[in-house]
C-alpha cells in the first residue's frame, strides 16, 4: 500500500475557530476544498515542510474528533486492508464520499480509533 500523506484531521462544529488557532501558531492554509457532500469544507494547514493538519467542519458529532488522515494511491486496497483488521465504515451502508477529485471514508477500529482514508483521483 502506497501512503502519500499521514497527518491529523480535526472534525469540528467550530472549524473556523480551530483554523484560527493553528494560524495563530504559525500554520498557513495550503489547500481548501469546499462543497464536500454539499456543505463540508476541509482546510489543509501546514507549518513549513514538516507539519500538516487538516480541519473540516462537520455537524454529525457531539464534540470535536481528531482522526488520522491517510492519503494513498489505492483506495480499495486500503479499504479492504482496514476491513480485514476489524475496522468498520462510519456509515452503516458503507458508502464513501466521492467529489470527482477524491474518494474518502471514515473508518473505526474495534476499539474506536478512527482513520480517514483518501485517494486523490489522478487524471
Amino acid at each position: 500500500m502506497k501512503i502519500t500523506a499521514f497527518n491529523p484531521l480535526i472534525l469540528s462544529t467550530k472549524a473556523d475557530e480551530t483554523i484560527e488557532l493553528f494560524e495563530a501558531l504559525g500554520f498557513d492554509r495550503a489547500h481548501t476544498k469546499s462543497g464536500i457532500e454539499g456543505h463540508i469544507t476541509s482546510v489543509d494547514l501546514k507549518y513549513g515542510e514538516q507539519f500538516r493538519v487538516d480541519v473540516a467542519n462537520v455537524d454529525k458529532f457531539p464534540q470535536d474528533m481528531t482522526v488520522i488522515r491517510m492519503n494513498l494511491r489505492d483506495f480499495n486496497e486500503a479499504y479492504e486492508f482496514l476491513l480485514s483488521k476489524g475496522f468498520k465504515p462510519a456509515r452503516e451502508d458503507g458508502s464513501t464520499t466521492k467529489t470527482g477529485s477524491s474518494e474518502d471514508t471514515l473508518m473505526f477500529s474495534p476499539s474506536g480509533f478512527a482513520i480517514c482514508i483518501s485517494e486523490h483521483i489522478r487524471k
Side-chain angles (χ1 to χ4, degrees), residues 88-105:
K88 303 283 186 212
R91 294 184 182 147
E92 289 183 24
D93 67 359
S95 64
T96 63
T97 300
K98 296 179 182 179
T99 67
S101 64
S102 66
E103 180 174 11
D104 67 44
T105 196

Side-chain angles (χ1 to χ4, degrees), residues 9-77:
L9 165 61
I10 300 170
L11 307 174
S12 178
T13 58
K14 297 181 180 181
D16 291 338
E17 292 176 17
T18 304
I19 292 165
E20 288 175 13
L21 169 68
F22 280 96
E23 287 177 328
L25 290 169
F27 283 74
D28 295 313
R29 292 179 191 224
H31 179 71
T32 300
K33 189 169 189 176
S34 300
I36 302 167
E37 295 194 1
H39 65 285
I40 297 172
T41 297
S42 180
V43 177
D44 177 28
L45 299 150
K46 68 180 199 169
Y47 186 89
E49 293 301 317
Q50 301 92 345
F51 305 107
R52 292 184 100 93
V53 63
D54 294 345
V55 180
N57 69 304
V58 296
D59 56 5
K60 296 182 179 187
F61 301 112
Q63 73 246 1
D64 290 356
M65 178 185 293
T66 303
V67 305
I68 295 297
R69 182 169 181 263
M70 187 168 58
N71 291 359
L72 33 85
R73 291 281 185 247
D74 189 330
F75 180 88
N76 292 328
E77 178 186 22

